[in-house]
């Protein structure tokens, strides 16, 4: 399996979620199943069905996170020296050529992407258009409303 790039912040977020699932969520659902079993007939017990479904979700998520962490390649953006090129973990300041609006994005892994926070997925169209470019270059992004052109104003590794 290929490695999964993730920032240190993203890896810590996954580890925190895994810890919470194992120490809080899993024991709580086990208790809920035991309480539902104590009510008797399981064939018509909605609480039991809901708890078993929740347990399946929790166990699936634990397995998913453990799998991702096992193949994760943790990248510290502040330790990256890409000579001014846009790479994974870079923070990029852009200016929309048509409107002049400025926007700043950091290119991160899929699990930590959050557009409201300016964190974009490495496999998103805009991130793919930016990778390898340098300050002063123009990136063309195929957007739903047509092609958008962004000038790269600055590239930082933080």
């Amino acid at each position: 399996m290929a490695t999964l790039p993730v920032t240190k912040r993203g890896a810590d977020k996954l580890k925190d979620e895994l810890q919470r699932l194992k120490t809080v969520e899993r024991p709580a659902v086990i208790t809920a199943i035991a309480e539902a079993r104590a009510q008797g007939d399981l064939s018509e017990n909605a609480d039991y069905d809901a708890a078993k479904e929740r347990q399946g979700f929790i166990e699936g998520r634990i397995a998913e996170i453990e799998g991702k962490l096992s193949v994760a390649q943790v990248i510290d953006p502040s330790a990256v020296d890409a000579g001014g090129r846009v790479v994974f973990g870079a923070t990029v300041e852009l200016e929309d050529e048509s409107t002049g609006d400025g926007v700043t994005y950091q290119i991160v892994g899929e699990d930590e992407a959050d557009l409201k926070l300016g964190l974009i997925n490495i496999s998103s169209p805009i991130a793919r258009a930016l990778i390898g470019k340098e300050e002063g270059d123009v990136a063309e992004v195929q957007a739903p409303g047509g092609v958008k052109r962004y000038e790269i104003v600055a590239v930082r590794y933080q």
Side-chain angles (χ1 to χ4, degrees), residues 94-109:
L94 304 171
E95 182 179 304
D96 187 325
E97 285 193 339
S98 61
T99 65
D101 293 340
V103 66
T104 301
Y105 294 124
Q106 181 181 16
I107 300 173
V108 297

Side-chain angles (χ1 to χ4, degrees), residues 4 22 25 43 47 63-65 69 72 80 82 85-87 89 99 104 109 112 117-118 128 133 156:
L4 179 73
K22 285 184 169 182
E25 301 286 333
S43 64
D47 291 340
E64 179 184 5
I65 293 171
L69 288 173
V80 171
R85 287 189 334 274
V86 178
V87 294
T99 65
T104 301
E112 53 191 315
L117 299 176
R128 289 195 319 261
K133 301 251 188 311
R156 297 187 312 275

